[in-house]
Amino acid sequence: MFIVFVCKKAIGEFDLLLVLRICLFVVLRKFRVIPSHEAMKRLVLRASVQYAKEPYMKDLLLRLLAYENIGVLRIIDRYRKKGYYVVLSTAAPAAYADLIAKHFCFDYVCATSMAVEQSDWHENVKEEKMRATVHLLDKIDARLAIFLTDHDDDLPLLRIPKDANIIVNPTSKTLEKLEQERIVYRLLPK
């Protein structure tokens, strides 16, 4: 959604060179010339940094709110009222993940850094997401107690022993991987 949003904004501002660059990155990724999603994401974030500023990201947030899941929000609210910390850990760029976390009153956010020029930059996904999330929890002297996800990319976090794994709108591929790994979970009813 970030890529589509940036392209629409760039078209609106007649920044067609940026649109062509992003489309080229996507095509090169599809043909495996760009070797990973992470490498493509880094290129896209680097190229579109001018659109990752707060006024644009607030506009993106408004568009993303159309996809909010009331069931997830109820679970988050229930655990918040019980005194749990609520952490948003996502592969999304921090430029809008921070706004989402603020909008929904998350205590902390762990997202993909916008500092793509750093040599140690990584997308906040899979093992990296697990390491970053566990590091954050260690810093605040907390443990992972309840974990909600919709994607099998989160298997490293799903494997951590905790009170509950809650799966939201999973694909059949995600359910298959959970069964293969014998991960205990419950489905959030639709």
Side-chain angles (χ1 to χ4, degrees):
M1 291 184 75
F2 179 80
I3 289 174
V4 171
F5 175 81
V6 166
C7 285
K8 284 181 179 180
K9 286 294 179 185
I11 289 168
E13 296 188 12
F14 301 103
D15 190 353
L16 301 181
L17 185 58
L18 176 61
V19 176
L20 290 172
R21 286 179 68 200
I22 290 174
C23 289
L24 179 62
F25 297 152
V26 171
V27 168
L28 291 175
R29 173 64 190 131
K30 292 286 183 199
F31 287 104
R32 306 285 190 243
V33 175
I34 296 175
S36 67
H37 179 81
E38 180 178 76
M40 182 193 74
K41 190 172 201 169
R42 187 175 195 166
L43 291 168
V44 168
L45 290 177
R46 183 181 292 149
S48 62
V49 70
Q50 72 269 26
Y51 294 101
K53 299 201 178 346
E54 194 167 327
Y56 292 109
M57 293 298 94
K58 283 184 175 179
D59 189 22
L60 176 58
L61 172 64
L62 291 174
R63 294 166 196 254
L64 293 172
L65 292 177
Y67 298 96
E68 70 184 31
N69 184 315
I70 299 303
V72 169
L73 296 176
R74 285 185 183 137
I75 288 173
I76 290 169
D77 190 50
R78 184 170 65 227
Y79 283 103
R80 181 183 292 113
K81 286 177 180 172
K82 290 180 180 181
Y84 286 72
Y85 288 117
V86 180
V87 178
L88 173 61
S89 189
T90 178
Y96 69 90
D98 290 341
L99 292 174
I100 291 169
K102 185 177 178 181
H103 179 81
F104 289 110
C105 301
F106 282 79
D107 298 300
Y108 299 93
V109 62
C110 183
T112 297
S113 172
M114 295 300 297
V116 294
E117 300 304 327
Q118 293 180 346
S119 61
D120 63 344
W121 181 90
H122 293 284
E123 181 179 17
N124 194 47
V125 68
K126 299 181 182 178
E127 287 79 14
E128 183 65 29
K129 184 177 185 179
M130 185 222 21
R131 280 190 291 278
T133 303
V134 168
H135 177 72
L136 171 64
L137 293 173
D138 286 345
K139 273 181 28 181
I140 62 173
D141 196 28
R143 72 176 184 90
L144 183 59
I146 310 295
F147 184 64
L148 283 85
T149 186
D150 65 348
H151 204 280
D152 58 89
D153 275 352
D154 287 327
L155 282 170
L157 281 160
L158 286 161
R159 291 182 190 115
I160 295 174
K162 66 188 82 60
D163 299 342
N165 288 311
I166 303 171
I167 309 301
V168 182
N169 297 329
T171 64
S172 56
K173 175 185 162 201
T174 295
L175 291 175
E176 190 176 300
K177 286 190 176 187
L178 292 169
E179 296 301 325
Q180 286 172 354
E181 298 247 354
R182 296 191 173 143
I183 292 174
V184 177
Y185 65 91
R186 72 177 203 251
L187 286 173
L188 181 70
K190 289 185 180 184

